Amino acid sequence: LAISHGQIFNVGKKPDWVLEDARLNKAWDRQGWLNRKAALFSSWQIGTDFCYLETKHPSAIVARPPLRPEVMRMAVARKHVRGGGNPLVVSDAQVAQRMANLLLYGQEDINQDKVKPYESTLHRKVVLCYFRDHNGEMIIDALLQAGFDVLFFETGYNKKYGEDPNRFGVKWIVKEEDRLKLREEVQFDSGGMLQHRRMLQQDGQAEFHGEVVGLTMNQATPSQRRRLSAASVDATFVSTPRMIRVADRALFVPFMSIADGIVASAGSQLISECIYANVPLLALYRTNDDEQVLNVELSRQERVMRRKIPIYGASFENFHAAYPTKKSYVRRSNRTTSSAPKLQPSGAKIARSEFESFVDKVDESLVSNAYFQQQMPRTANETMAAWHNSTDWQNISEQAISNAEDDPFHDMPDAAAIILEIIKEVQKDAE
């Protein structure tokens, strides 16, 4: 049995929109060739994806994407908030505190005795970012210019690994700053990734680290009022959008439950999870990455058929063409004649349109607002007491998940059920 997302390009019939586009047709063929090699000697083939495709062979089928239980529970939690309910919380008190520290104070390790209680403040929308290839600096800059707080999940060193003495290979773990210093000394990098790291690891950059300043809603401009979620008239707010680094990727799904949007590399698993949980996603890819190009095009076709799917996508190259310099993104509401977009290639226009649609979707979200409202106006101890009295989304029952409405994959077969049927068939033949 061969099973993977990539098998859809081996066994799936090409949609007409692929056949009509020479670039996509070649990309599909290349991915099909790679996955045919992976399926050699297999009697059955299962491709998993977020959209249905007819297959070329009777031994093949396209199944719904596998979803982690914590993602399915997180989706129920988000729906609960979108319906006007109170935010649900994670069961692990330590995880809940780490999340609060990052969102409220901008750092994970903080002495609660030395910080002011989180007061009734205006806050910014929260966007999660993860980039497989260390190439997201221009996108992060545009998100900050849009007025969003960015939680950036870094790849590389994870301090959790170093704390586990039983983890295989732990002796080879090197702190990220030491590894980069060594790479720079031997001139290992040509400049791309190193420049990215330098920019994201500089402390105190005004554009990435804002200060909390006193400002009433009467003093805020109309555009500031729109971008900030009003919590009280006498509130203070973070004057500059923040880029908050997160080293532990185990926090990604908990943060998904309260995020207003995600910007990340265009992997099929994350696209599937965002479709399922109705999380706005801007999926980005390199133009030479065939699989991710096709993932975005497949999601775009799904969006045409199902308008509620909040998935947008563009190539890094077209995004950079649309926004060639830092601070080149300007919100539509703030544009003047001089800041209006100039004539650009069609790819850049598509990237601009997709990004602006994503920004609009994030603006509409009330998910993070529900989280921040739950935190106010409490001391750290009061926050944790409120946490103990809330509903834990990580313990949502299987029945609640199965009863959830609007499952976007409800009409697609489950891979596990298909495999069980294959096993029964093999057993029957053996008899």
Side-chain angles (χ1 to χ4, degrees):
L1 172 69
I3 178 171
S4 69
H5 162 66
Q7 284 301 314
I8 67 169
F9 306 114
N10 173 31
V11 301
K13 291 183 178 180
K14 290 181 185 176
D16 291 340
W17 52 268
V18 172
L19 294 169
E20 294 166 1
D21 187 309
R23 179 179 64 94
L24 297 178
N25 198 36
K26 289 180 180 179
W28 192 290
D29 287 342
R30 286 190 291 265
Q31 285 297 303
W33 179 79
L34 287 172
N35 285 280
R36 275 193 297 277
K37 292 176 67 176
L40 283 175
F41 312 116
S42 64
S43 301
W44 298 273
Q45 303 81 36
I46 302 176
T48 60
D49 198 45
F50 48 81
C51 66
Y52 173 77
L53 291 171
E54 293 185 14
T55 55
K56 298 181 290 186
H57 314 295
S59 63
I61 193 170
V62 173
R64 61 184 288 150
L67 296 170
R68 295 170 287 172
E70 61 268 30
V71 170
M72 300 177 75
R73 295 186 175 95
M74 176 272 296
V76 175
R78 287 183 64 89
K79 182 180 179 182
H80 177 76
V81 173
R82 291 197 308 273
N86 292 325
L88 308 182
V89 298
V90 297
S91 57
D92 190 318
Q94 184 179 13
V95 170
Q97 187 64 69
R98 291 167 67 194
M99 291 174 63
N101 288 347
L102 286 163
L103 285 170
L104 306 185
Y105 306 109
Q107 59 189 72
E108 184 175 329
D109 300 316
I110 190 167
N111 187 339
Q112 292 291 340
D113 296 330
K114 295 184 179 181
V115 298
K116 294 180 180 180
Y118 180 62
E119 298 176 350
S120 182
T121 69
L122 297 169
H123 70 274
R124 297 180 179 274
K125 303 293 186 181
V126 176
V127 175
L128 311 186
C129 283
Y130 168 76
F131 303 105
R132 182 192 64 186
D133 299 321
H134 311 281
N135 52 356
E137 57 267 23
M138 295 298 290
I139 293 91
I140 290 177
D141 178 73
L143 291 168
L144 295 170
Q145 294 301 316
F148 303 145
D149 277 346
V150 176
L151 285 173
F152 175 59
F153 283 77
E154 297 183 292
T155 56
Y157 173 73
N158 183 330
K159 75 171 187 176
K160 185 178 179 181
Y161 295 168
E163 294 170 354
D164 183 357
N166 300 314
R167 186 177 180 85
F168 179 76
V170 72
K171 65 181 180 180
W172 294 106
I173 294 292
V174 179
K175 286 186 176 181
E176 187 72 350
E177 57 266 31
D178 295 336
R179 183 181 71 83
L180 292 173
K181 183 178 179 180
L182 290 171
R183 289 171 74 96
E184 184 174 10
E185 287 176 355
V186 299
Q187 298 181 338
F188 186 88
D189 295 283
S190 60
M193 187 179 79
L194 189 59
Q195 179 183 5
H196 167 77
R197 285 292 187 175
R198 279 174 175 163
M199 187 190 76
L200 295 183
Q201 293 188 346
Q202 287 175 358
D203 291 326
Q205 283 195 21
E207 59 190 322
F208 280 179
H209 302 273
E211 298 178 358
V212 177
V213 298
L215 185 70
T216 67
M217 278 297 288
N218 291 332
Q219 295 169 317
T221 65
S223 61
Q224 286 172 333
R225 292 192 190 108
R226 283 193 298 272
R227 295 200 294 271
L228 303 171
S229 299
S232 75
V233 173
D234 296 322
T236 61
F237 78 103
V238 178
S239 62
T240 305
R242 301 170 297 167
M243 197 283 290
I244 302 168
R245 296 189 296 273
V246 185
D248 189 356
R249 275 173 279 173
L251 294 176
F252 194 85
V253 173
F255 272 122
M256 280 182 76
S257 68
I258 58 93
D260 298 300
I262 298 174
V263 179
S265 302
S268 67
Q269 187 63 34
L270 182 58
I271 293 175
S272 299
E273 291 173 352
C274 287
I275 290 175
Y276 184 82
N278 197 27
V279 182
L281 171 68
L282 179 65
L284 296 157
Y285 57 89
R286 292 182 182 275
T287 53
N288 61 355
D289 189 323
D290 291 338
E291 181 180 352
Q292 293 198 354
V293 169
L294 292 167
N295 288 341
V296 168
E297 291 299 330
L298 285 164
S299 70
R300 185 171 286 133
Q301 294 299 318
E302 284 293 290
R303 197 176 77 204
V304 170
M305 294 183 288
R306 294 187 285 177
R307 304 297 294 180
K308 290 185 178 180
I309 291 180
I311 309 298
Y312 308 90
S315 71
F316 285 101
E317 293 85 347
N318 285 334
F319 189 94
H320 292 166
Y323 306 107
T325 61
K326 294 183 70 174
K327 303 185 187 302
S328 58
Y329 172 74
V330 179
R331 274 181 169 265
R332 280 185 289 228
S333 58
N334 295 339
R335 284 178 194 157
T336 62
T337 303
S338 60
S339 63
K342 305 296 188 295
L343 291 175
Q344 294 178 324
S346 59
K349 290 179 181 178
I350 292 173
R352 181 179 289 276
S353 173
E354 293 288 280
F355 182 66
E356 291 186 340
S357 296
F358 170 77
V359 168
D360 291 342
K361 207 70 177 176
V362 171
D363 282 340
E364 295 172 6
S365 171
L366 297 175
V367 176
S368 70
N369 183 57
Y371 174 85
F372 284 106
Q373 291 284 0
Q374 189 186 50
Q375 305 297 317
M376 307 182 289
R378 303 186 179 107
T379 63
N381 290 335
E382 289 171 336
T383 297
M384 294 311 293
W387 169 81
H388 282 294
N389 294 326
S390 300
T391 304
D392 171 18
W393 66 261
Q394 289 183 308
N395 287 328
I396 292 174
S397 67
E398 295 290 336
Q399 185 64 38
I401 293 173
S402 63
N403 289 341
E405 300 175 0
D406 304 326
D407 179 354
F409 313 127
H410 72 277
D411 55 350
M412 299 179 69
D414 186 271
I418 297 169
I419 292 171
L420 288 175
E421 289 299 317
I422 290 173
I423 291 173
K424 290 179 182 178
E425 184 177 328
V426 171
Q427 290 176 329
K428 185 177 179 180
D429 291 345
E431 295 171 357

